[in-house]
Amino acid sequence: MAENPHHGHGHHGHGGQMTPEQQRQMIEQEIKLSRNLGQIKYKISVMSGKGGVGKSTVAANLAETFQKLGFATGILDADIHGPNIPKMLGLEGEDLYINENRNMVPVEAPSGLKVMSMAFMLDSIDTPIIWRGPQKSGSIKQLIAEVEWGPLDVLIIDNPPGTGDEPLTVLQTIPNTDAVIMVTTPNVVSQEDVLKCVKMVNMMNVENIGLIENMAYYICPHCGEKLDIFGEGDGESFSEEMEIKYLGDLPLTEKVSDSPNQDGVVSTIDPEGEVSKRFEEIVGKIKEEFLKEE
């Protein structure tokens, strides 16, 4: 079952009865799912209302920052159509292997961060994935259930943008999500999209929602001046309006936008830099606001 992520999704939604074998597989997957989730202390979903706001870059940096601060961390790339977390972390082309329990073993980044993505399962990096909803949600379930995550302090889930099947599946599959982090940029369109996401997350009864404003300003490398090239960021007042927590803003920097072409993200490449310090502050806030000890 674990060897081929494409099997076992064709029987949903056709109105036909499931065979005993299909029922057995489904029950087995649910057991694996709850066993895996039981070993993960905190689950954090990263979402955005639309693409192009740097959500995956933020998710990858958050994961590396948690790992750097001593949390055993994993990142699940739940973006089926554009799985680019491995590329950002310098892990493109790594092979997955199946262990004796017939589970997939996550790829490990140099920092020890555990990484799982659809990209590792594709033969070619430019293979487009054209799937219907049930198949996609089946695959996302598999990426959580049939992966040997082991004991983790934090699992970061990088969702595809928007409010479609996949983010919904992630929220349904992980019933006790500890926090949802929204990523936006300082413009009205992006914020309207976040509003839709917040409404969806509220409907799923997740109370802990935070906002990160990415590309909020640009610091000129020559004169050090702070420029609001996308307009004045008002993430804080926007968060108050929506009754969610404001976690901070991040600059648009060449380092952040270049990082997909390097061996890792800015948090690992330039750990002492300004942007890495911003990520450490944001992770501190996430811990303080959302990751309460029982």
Side-chain angles (χ1 to χ4, degrees), residues 18-35:
M18 286 167 74
T19 66
E21 173 58 20
Q22 285 168 341
Q23 276 177 316
R24 188 192 63 75
Q25 281 187 2
M26 205 169 148
I27 291 164
E28 196 181 288
Q29 191 183 54
E30 291 300 326
I31 292 167
K32 280 180 166 182
L33 193 64
S34 62
R35 194 183 299 146

Side-chain angles (χ1 to χ4, degrees), residues 100-151:
E100 65 282 359
N101 301 332
R102 291 172 63 227
N103 285 336
M104 296 172 274
V105 178
V107 172
E108 246 182 60
S111 63
L113 174 68
K114 291 183 176 180
V115 185
M116 190 61 204
S117 171
M118 204 66 196
F120 296 134
M121 299 180 200
L122 303 175
D123 301 328
S124 158
I125 196 62
D126 48 16
T127 309
I129 300 184
I130 305 162
W131 279 349
R132 293 191 313 281
Q135 288 171 303
K136 285 191 291 196
S137 42
S139 300
I140 287 169
K141 260 195 165 163
Q142 226 170 2
L143 288 176
I144 302 171
E146 292 169 27
V147 171
E148 201 76 37
W149 287 107

Side-chain angles (χ1 to χ4, degrees), residues 81-97:
H81 295 288
N84 52 13
I85 289 288
K87 186 176 181 179
M88 287 183 175
L89 295 170
L91 301 173
E92 205 174 15
E94 292 282 333
D95 286 329
L96 280 182
Y97 75 94

